[in-house]
Amino acid sequence: VQLYNEYSPKGIEMLGLAVKDQPNQVSAFTKEHGMNWVMMMADNNLVVRYRITGVPTTIFLDRNGNEVRRFIGPQDQETFRKAFELILQS
């Protein structure tokens, strides 16, 4: 949430995909945690398309939709900050 608030004014967008969750659970969780970006429900087609093999999977795409970085499992804030900066530089 902190990084989204920091980087969204710089043009970074985030999209969350919930896997195997119910929409009402996702909505309650995102509201409770101040997650102000778009959240969607991932179907099996998206899981296959983006090769999601673990949860959480975080994929950083540049403005052309090219994958820049991918992380499987939880990561620290500094790791995500470096990925955001990489996108801004491209």
Side-chain angles (χ1 to χ4, degrees):
V1 172
Q2 181 181 351
L3 287 175
Y4 178 72
N5 292 336
E6 181 180 336
Y7 282 92
S8 63
K10 298 177 183 181
I12 295 290
E13 291 294 334
M14 287 177 53
L15 172 68
L17 296 174
V19 179
K20 297 182 181 177
D21 290 309
Q22 296 299 314
N24 60 336
Q25 293 171 320
V26 173
S27 179
F29 182 85
T30 58
K31 185 175 182 178
E32 178 182 338
H33 294 281
M35 300 163 79
N36 297 322
W37 50 87
V38 173
M39 290 294 293
M40 297 175 59
M41 303 304 297
D43 62 13
N44 285 338
N45 292 331
L46 283 175
V47 170
V48 171
R49 179 179 177 192
Y50 287 102
R51 301 175 323 275
I52 298 171
T53 59
V55 176
T57 295
T58 307
I59 304 169
F60 287 82
L61 305 173
D62 67 14
R63 63 184 52 161
N64 297 316
N66 299 311
E67 188 172 318
V68 175
R69 293 293 313 263
R70 174 183 294 252
F71 302 101
I72 299 173
Q75 303 296 315
D76 62 36
Q77 195 174 39
E78 191 56 33
T79 299
F80 284 159
R81 182 181 307 283
K82 289 175 183 175
F84 282 127
E85 289 295 329
L86 186 61
I87 289 172
L88 289 175
Q89 294 170 5
S90 63

